[in-house]
Amino acid sequence: MSDTVSRAPVMQDVARLAGVSHQTVSRVINGASSIRPETRERVLQAIERLGYRPNTAARTLVRGRSATIGIITTASTLFGPTSVHRTVNTAAREAGFFASSVSLAEMTREGFDAAVDHLDRLAVEGIVVIAGHDEALEVARSRSARLPFVIVEGDLTRARRTVGVDNVAGARLATRHLIDLGHVEIAHVTGPLDWAESRARAEGWRAEMVAAGHRPMEPVSGDWSAGSGYRAGLALAENPEVTAVFAANDQMAIGVLRALHEAGRSVPGDVSVVGFDDVPEAEYLIPPLTTVRQDFAAIGRAAIAMLTDAISGETDQVPSLIDPELIVRASSAPPGQTRSEAP
């Protein structure tokens, strides 16, 4: 059939073009996780080719609610939480939902309850909570479950409806990369330890060091900021045995790079540096930063798919882990070599 129709395309047009039922199209639009990837891709391609837009008003009449989801987050400028917020919004729109966000200065019980009450008055169908540190996670877990909740960026071991990157695996990838290059004394700069992600990344670094038969040195504490990475880097620069540093995020890695430069230790000739996040600036640093990339778009899609299933009454749900990816650039090399000299 033609890629276009003379009238506004409807769901049946999408179904015919994709070769599926209109119920399957509906499940794809609503983010159901039970759809096979190849089927989902066919439906999404048909939607794009036809320019189809879900009829939100009709969906609202069928559901008896607003076709809106709520997002509760803390007022953070950190790369991870802000990226997740953006991708959850995008995934919600792609699934045919409006998204209404509440940003809290602090994740207190009173503030969280007020946010939930506000979103409930908007008749939201479910809520995504973006919370990384322990206090925020504890508040989210302790609240009434009168609406379906999905928690993003949290500790995946303590809640059923939770989505996040596999931080332990990501830290192990970074550490294994440095070990494979020949490094033995690999320092770790942690994030704040009241964040589940920070503890998980420290756990992955430590586990990979032990698995390789190396004794982990005492990690250096940071607070996610470049300034804390700079202070950690100055301290580590005084230890000539340290030939590699794994920082728990890219901002701290940037601070480490500056400190090593000021101390006269070249990267990667004297010390290799690896970060975590793959911020947009990472590939333009001097040298370009080796780092662990988080797939924030996949996190957003998984969160909305899990929330949609919960709204539909699905109870057999388990935490969803998104695999990270190691991005190797010029800031890491064998001890005593630059990347261009490495075999």
Side-chain angles (χ1 to χ4, degrees):
M1 65 172 286
S2 170
D3 285 358
T4 59
V5 291
S6 57
R7 52 178 166 73
V10 297
M11 189 177 295
Q12 285 78 4
D13 298 320
V14 176
R16 280 194 294 271
L17 182 57
V20 298
S21 68
H22 75 274
Q23 291 94 338
T24 297
V25 175
S26 177
R27 287 196 291 272
V28 170
I29 291 171
N30 287 313
S33 59
S34 57
I35 304 296
R36 288 182 299 179
E38 57 270 25
T39 302
R40 184 186 305 277
E41 184 61 27
R42 281 209 317 277
V43 171
L44 291 175
Q45 287 179 359
I47 288 172
E48 183 176 355
R49 289 170 65 183
L50 292 171
Y52 172 72
R53 294 293 178 267
N55 188 331
T56 303
R59 290 177 59 211
T60 301
L61 288 173
V62 172
R63 295 172 179 223
R65 295 190 68 85
S66 64
T68 301
I69 62 126
I71 302 173
I72 299 176
T73 186
T74 53
S76 172
T77 59
L78 292 171
F79 179 73
T82 56
S83 297
V84 170
H85 192 184
R86 172 175 47 79
T87 60
V88 168
N89 263 297
T90 299
R93 290 196 302 272
E94 290 174 349
F97 288 98
F98 294 107
S100 181
S101 297
V102 178
S103 179
L104 301 175
E106 292 183 271
M107 190 74 83
T108 63
R109 296 179 189 275
E110 295 76 14
F112 189 83
D113 283 344
V116 172
D117 289 341
H118 169 74
L119 293 170
D120 200 21
R121 286 193 295 273
L122 297 177
V124 300
E125 301 188 46
I127 296 175
V128 175
V129 181
I130 302 171
H133 58 84
D134 290 348
E135 181 183 1
L137 291 169
E138 193 56 40
V139 167
R141 293 191 188 103
S142 66
R143 298 301 84 191
S144 168
R146 63 182 181 269
L147 286 170
F149 277 79
V150 170
I151 299 175
V152 183
E153 288 289 286
D155 183 344
L156 303 191
T157 66
R158 293 188 289 172
R160 183 181 59 194
R161 292 186 186 131
T162 312
V163 175
V165 72
D166 191 335
N167 288 284
V168 173
R172 294 193 75 145
L173 280 174
T175 309
R176 170 51 59 184
H177 167 66
L178 292 168
I179 290 170
D180 287 346
L181 288 173
H183 295 280
V184 175
E185 290 295 331
I186 302 170
H188 179 49
V189 182
T190 75
L193 294 181
D194 61 347
W195 285 67
E197 290 91 343
S198 178
R199 294 194 300 272
R201 292 170 196 177
E203 177 189 338
W205 161 77
R206 186 174 291 106
E208 198 62 34
M209 290 289 286
V210 171
H214 301 323
R215 184 178 178 214
M217 61 188 297
E218 187 67 24
V220 182
S221 297
D223 61 11
W224 297 133
S225 71
S228 69
Y230 174 76
R231 291 186 292 274
L234 289 177
L236 292 169
E238 296 179 358
N239 185 347
E241 295 184 354
V242 172
T243 63
V245 179
F246 165 47
N249 78 341
D250 286 350
Q251 292 299 321
M252 293 191 297
I254 289 170
V256 170
L257 289 175
R258 170 68 181 270
L260 292 172
H261 173 74
E262 290 186 1
R265 303 197 70 186
S266 68
V267 177
D270 297 321
V271 183
S272 288
V273 178
V274 177
F276 201 112
D277 278 341
D278 195 26
V279 299
E281 302 82 4
E283 64 179 309
Y284 300 104
L285 298 172
I286 301 175
L289 182 66
T290 296
T291 186
V292 177
R293 177 179 292 166
Q294 301 192 63
D295 190 342
F296 292 110
I299 293 172
R301 290 192 298 269
I304 294 302
M306 183 176 287
L307 186 63
T308 301
D309 284 347
I311 291 168
S312 301
E314 176 63 53
T315 58
D316 187 21
Q317 293 177 306
V318 296
S320 177
L321 281 172
I322 307 300
D323 291 332
E325 178 186 3
L326 179 69
I327 306 298
V328 178
R329 299 192 179 105
S331 69
S332 57
Q337 295 183 25
T338 65
R339 170 62 61 184
S340 61
E341 294 171 338

PDB file of all heavy atoms in Angstrom, residues 235-252:
ATOM      1  N   ALA A 235      46.087  14.173  45.434  1.00  0.00           N
ATOM      2  CA  ALA A 235      46.561  13.201  46.419  1.00  0.00           C
ATOM      3  C   ALA A 235      47.163  11.976  45.732  1.00  0.00           C
ATOM      4  O   ALA A 235      48.229  11.480  46.131  1.00  0.00           O
ATOM      5  CB  ALA A 235      45.411  12.796  47.342  1.00  0.00           C
ATOM      6  N   LEU A 236      46.511  11.486  44.696  1.00  0.00           N
ATOM      7  CA  LEU A 236      46.993  10.294  44.005  1.00  0.00           C
ATOM      8  C   LEU A 236      48.283  10.561  43.238  1.00  0.00           C
ATOM      9  O   LEU A 236      49.113   9.654  43.074  1.00  0.00           O
ATOM     10  CB  LEU A 236      45.912   9.770  43.055  1.00  0.00           C
ATOM     11  CG  LEU A 236      44.659   9.198  43.736  1.00  0.00           C
ATOM     12  CD1 LEU A 236      43.552   8.948  42.720  1.00  0.00           C
ATOM     13  CD2 LEU A 236      44.996   7.913  44.496  1.00  0.00           C
ATOM     14  N   ALA A 237      48.466  11.790  42.785  1.00  0.00           N
ATOM     15  CA  ALA A 237      49.683  12.125  42.036  1.00  0.00           C
ATOM     16  C   ALA A 237      50.939  11.976  42.888  1.00  0.00           C
ATOM     17  O   ALA A 237      52.044  11.815  42.353  1.00  0.00           O
ATOM     18  CB  ALA A 237      49.584  13.553  41.501  1.00  0.00           C
ATOM     19  N   GLU A 238      50.772  12.016  44.208  1.00  0.00           N
ATOM     20  CA  GLU A 238      51.916  11.885  45.107  1.00  0.00           C
ATOM     21  C   GLU A 238      52.349  10.437  45.301  1.00  0.00           C
ATOM     22  O   GLU A 238      53.386  10.174  45.908  1.00  0.00           O
ATOM     23  CB  GLU A 238      51.576  12.506  46.467  1.00  0.00           C
ATOM     24  CG  GLU A 238      51.330  14.013  46.396  1.00  0.00           C
ATOM     25  CD  GLU A 238      50.974  14.597  47.746  1.00  0.00           C
ATOM     26  OE1 GLU A 238      50.887  13.810  48.725  1.00  0.00           O
ATOM     27  OE2 GLU A 238      50.792  15.818  47.833  1.00  0.00           O
ATOM     28  N   ASN A 239      51.545   9.497  44.805  1.00  0.00           N
ATOM     29  CA  ASN A 239      51.858   8.071  44.947  1.00  0.00           C
ATOM     30  C   ASN A 239      52.393   7.550  43.617  1.00  0.00           C
ATOM     31  O   ASN A 239      51.628   7.300  42.683  1.00  0.00           O
ATOM     32  CB  ASN A 239      50.614   7.291  45.369  1.00  0.00           C
ATOM     33  CG  ASN A 239      50.913   5.821  45.640  1.00  0.00           C
ATOM     34  OD1 ASN A 239      51.982   5.313  45.301  1.00  0.00           O
ATOM     35  ND2 ASN A 239      49.953   5.128  46.234  1.00  0.00           N
ATOM     36  N   PRO A 240      53.709   7.356  43.494  1.00  0.00           N
ATOM     37  CA  PRO A 240      54.275   6.939  42.203  1.00  0.00           C
ATOM     38  C   PRO A 240      53.873   5.536  41.788  1.00  0.00           C
ATOM     39  O   PRO A 240      54.042   5.162  40.622  1.00  0.00           O
ATOM     40  CB  PRO A 240      55.786   7.029  42.448  1.00  0.00           C
ATOM     41  CG  PRO A 240      55.949   6.873  43.929  1.00  0.00           C
ATOM     42  CD  PRO A 240      54.740   7.511  44.540  1.00  0.00           C
ATOM     43  N   GLU A 241      53.335   4.733  42.722  1.00  0.00           N
ATOM     44  CA  GLU A 241      52.938   3.374  42.369  1.00  0.00           C
ATOM     45  C   GLU A 241      51.620   3.336  41.604  1.00  0.00           C
ATOM     46  O   GLU A 241      51.316   2.358  40.918  1.00  0.00           O
ATOM     47  CB  GLU A 241      52.844   2.518  43.633  1.00  0.00           C
ATOM     48  CG  GLU A 241      54.185   2.309  44.333  1.00  0.00           C
ATOM     49  CD  GLU A 241      54.065   1.374  45.518  1.00  0.00           C
ATOM     50  OE1 GLU A 241      52.923   0.981  45.850  1.00  0.00           O
ATOM     51  OE2 GLU A 241      55.098   1.043  46.108  1.00  0.00           O
ATOM     52  N   VAL A 242      50.814   4.375  41.747  1.00  0.00           N
ATOM     53  CA  VAL A 242      49.525   4.418  41.057  1.00  0.00           C
ATOM     54  C   VAL A 242      49.750   4.717  39.581  1.00  0.00           C
ATOM     55  O   VAL A 242      50.299   5.760  39.218  1.00  0.00           O
ATOM     56  CB  VAL A 242      48.602   5.491  41.673  1.00  0.00           C
ATOM     57  CG1 VAL A 242      47.339   5.673  40.821  1.00  0.00           C
ATOM     58  CG2 VAL A 242      48.210   5.099  43.093  1.00  0.00           C
ATOM     59  N   THR A 243      49.355   3.787  38.730  1.00  0.00           N
ATOM     60  CA  THR A 243      49.516   3.977  37.282  1.00  0.00           C
ATOM     61  C   THR A 243      48.171   4.093  36.560  1.00  0.00           C
ATOM     62  O   THR A 243      48.143   4.263  35.338  1.00  0.00           O
ATOM     63  CB  THR A 243      50.308   2.815  36.652  1.00  0.00           C
ATOM     64  OG1 THR A 243      49.574   1.590  36.821  1.00  0.00           O
ATOM     65  CG2 THR A 243      51.691   2.699  37.283  1.00  0.00           C
ATOM     66  N   ALA A 244      47.063   3.976  37.304  1.00  0.00           N
ATOM     67  CA  ALA A 244      45.749   4.098  36.673  1.00  0.00           C
ATOM     68  C   ALA A 244      44.736   4.556  37.712  1.00  0.00           C
ATOM     69  O   ALA A 244      44.847   4.230  38.899  1.00  0.00           O
ATOM     70  CB  ALA A 244      45.298   2.771  36.062  1.00  0.00           C
ATOM     71  N   VAL A 245      43.744   5.321  37.241  1.00  0.00           N
ATOM     72  CA  VAL A 245      42.668   5.814  38.102  1.00  0.00           C
ATOM     73  C   VAL A 245      41.339   5.544  37.417  1.00  0.00           C
ATOM     74  O   VAL A 245      41.149   5.894  36.240  1.00  0.00           O
ATOM     75  CB  VAL A 245      42.800   7.325  38.390  1.00  0.00           C
ATOM     76  CG1 VAL A 245      41.636   7.806  39.266  1.00  0.00           C
ATOM     77  CG2 VAL A 245      44.137   7.638  39.049  1.00  0.00           C
ATOM     78  N   PHE A 246      40.417   4.926  38.141  1.00  0.00           N
ATOM     79  CA  PHE A 246      39.040   4.774  37.675  1.00  0.00           C
ATOM     80  C   PHE A 246      38.170   5.687  38.534  1.00  0.00           C
ATOM     81  O   PHE A 246      38.043   5.485  39.739  1.00  0.00           O
ATOM     82  CB  PHE A 246      38.583   3.314  37.785  1.00  0.00           C
ATOM     83  CG  PHE A 246      37.088   3.132  37.672  1.00  0.00           C
ATOM     84  CD1 PHE A 246      36.359   3.753  36.662  1.00  0.00           C
ATOM     85  CD2 PHE A 246      36.407   2.323  38.576  1.00  0.00           C
ATOM     86  CE1 PHE A 246      34.984   3.589  36.566  1.00  0.00           C
ATOM     87  CE2 PHE A 246      35.031   2.146  38.484  1.00  0.00           C
ATOM     88  CZ  PHE A 246      34.319   2.783  37.476  1.00  0.00           C
ATOM     89  N   ALA A 247      37.599   6.707  37.920  1.00  0.00           N
ATOM     90  CA  ALA A 247      36.722   7.636  38.628  1.00  0.00           C
ATOM     91  C   ALA A 247      35.268   7.238  38.400  1.00  0.00           C
ATOM     92  O   ALA A 247      34.890   6.822  37.299  1.00  0.00           O
ATOM     93  CB  ALA A 247      36.959   9.065  38.136  1.00  0.00           C
ATOM     94  N   ALA A 248      34.438   7.405  39.433  1.00  0.00           N
ATOM     95  CA  ALA A 248      33.057   6.916  39.375  1.00  0.00           C
ATOM     96  C   ALA A 248      32.152   7.746  38.475  1.00  0.00           C
ATOM     97  O   ALA A 248      31.028   7.334  38.201  1.00  0.00           O
ATOM     98  CB  ALA A 248      32.463   6.843  40.782  1.00  0.00           C
ATOM     99  N   ASN A 249      32.607   8.909  38.018  1.00  0.00           N
ATOM    100  CA  ASN A 249      31.890   9.615  36.948  1.00  0.00           C
ATOM    101  C   ASN A 249      32.871  10.480  36.167  1.00  0.00           C
ATOM    102  O   ASN A 249      34.027  10.679  36.568  1.00  0.00           O
ATOM    103  CB  ASN A 249      30.699  10.418  37.479  1.00  0.00           C
ATOM    104  CG  ASN A 249      31.093  11.728  38.138  1.00  0.00           C
ATOM    105  OD1 ASN A 249      32.246  11.915  38.530  1.00  0.00           O
ATOM    106  ND2 ASN A 249      30.140  12.635  38.285  1.00  0.00           N
ATOM    107  N   ASP A 250      32.423  10.978  35.026  1.00  0.00           N
ATOM    108  CA  ASP A 250      33.319  11.728  34.148  1.00  0.00           C
ATOM    109  C   ASP A 250      33.717  13.070  34.735  1.00  0.00           C
ATOM    110  O   ASP A 250      34.821  13.558  34.485  1.00  0.00           O
ATOM    111  CB  ASP A 250      32.660  11.940  32.781  1.00  0.00           C
ATOM    112  CG  ASP A 250      32.619  10.677  31.941  1.00  0.00           C
ATOM    113  OD1 ASP A 250      33.268   9.681  32.330  1.00  0.00           O
ATOM    114  OD2 ASP A 250      31.941  10.677  30.893  1.00  0.00           O
ATOM    115  N   GLN A 251      32.817  13.692  35.481  1.00  0.00           N
ATOM    116  CA  GLN A 251      33.162  14.990  36.065  1.00  0.00           C
ATOM    117  C   GLN A 251      34.368  14.855  36.996  1.00  0.00           C
ATOM    118  O   GLN A 251      35.289  15.679  36.970  1.00  0.00           O
ATOM    119  CB  GLN A 251      31.957  15.561  36.816  1.00  0.00           C
ATOM    120  CG  GLN A 251      30.793  15.960  35.924  1.00  0.00           C
ATOM    121  CD  GLN A 251      31.166  17.041  34.937  1.00  0.00           C
ATOM    122  OE1 GLN A 251      31.902  17.966  35.258  1.00  0.00           O
ATOM    123  NE2 GLN A 251      30.677  16.929  33.714  1.00  0.00           N
ATOM    124  N   MET A 252      34.372  13.828  37.824  1.00  0.00           N
ATOM    125  CA  MET A 252      35.518  13.629  38.704  1.00  0.00           C
ATOM    126  C   MET A 252      36.754  13.247  37.898  1.00  0.00           C
ATOM    127  O   MET A 252      37.873  13.649  38.234  1.00  0.00           O
ATOM    128  CB  MET A 252      35.195  12.576  39.770  1.00  0.00           C
ATOM    129  CG  MET A 252      34.140  13.029  40.763  1.00  0.00           C
ATOM    130  SD  MET A 252      33.944  11.954  42.201  1.00  0.00           S
ATOM    131  CE  MET A 252      33.400  10.441  41.429  1.00  0.00           C
TER     132      MET A 252
END
